[in-house]
Amino acid sequence: MTQFLTQDGPIPPYMAFPRFLLDKDGLNETAKILYTILFDRARLSQKNDGWTDEQGRVFIFFPIKNLAETMHKSEMSIKTALSAL
């Protein structure tokens, strides 16, 4: 990462990190980043048709194996973080 953000330069892809997670005691960084990834996926599902149930609740499909690969963590670490959430 040797590039600087410039006024005219493109902004790289990013995920919104919910501020309330900063003050959430009892959650480690893995759980906080996992929440951010799941929240990002939920926002994508919210935009696309077919990813809500009969009551309008948004749902996602993100297998634990894929989450582990995305976060470069073990499946057990992902399961532990999901339990904490």
Side-chain angles (χ1 to χ4, degrees):
M1 289 196 55
T2 57
Q3 296 178 329
F4 292 93
L5 184 61
T6 60
Q7 189 172 11
D8 298 330
I11 295 177
Y14 66 94
M15 292 182 209
F17 184 88
R19 287 185 194 266
F20 80 89
L21 290 176
L22 294 173
D23 298 324
K24 205 73 167 147
D25 293 333
L27 288 181
N28 63 21
E29 285 74 19
T30 299
K32 291 176 182 181
I33 294 171
L34 176 60
Y35 183 95
T36 302
I37 290 169
L38 294 173
F39 182 65
D40 184 66
R41 183 63 66 99
R43 287 183 4 184
L44 183 63
S45 292
Q46 187 180 40
K47 292 178 185 176
N48 294 312
D49 289 334
W51 289 95
T52 56
D53 63 10
E54 296 80 28
Q55 285 118 8
R57 296 177 294 199
V58 174
F59 63 93
I60 63 172
F61 179 78
F62 208 148
I64 290 175
K65 180 180 179 183
N66 295 46
L67 281 169
E69 290 171 2
T70 298
M71 293 186 62
H72 304 284
K73 300 282 185 181
S74 70
E75 290 184 27
M76 184 57 75
S77 293
I78 299 301
K79 290 176 185 178
T80 302
L82 285 169
S83 294
L85 293 172

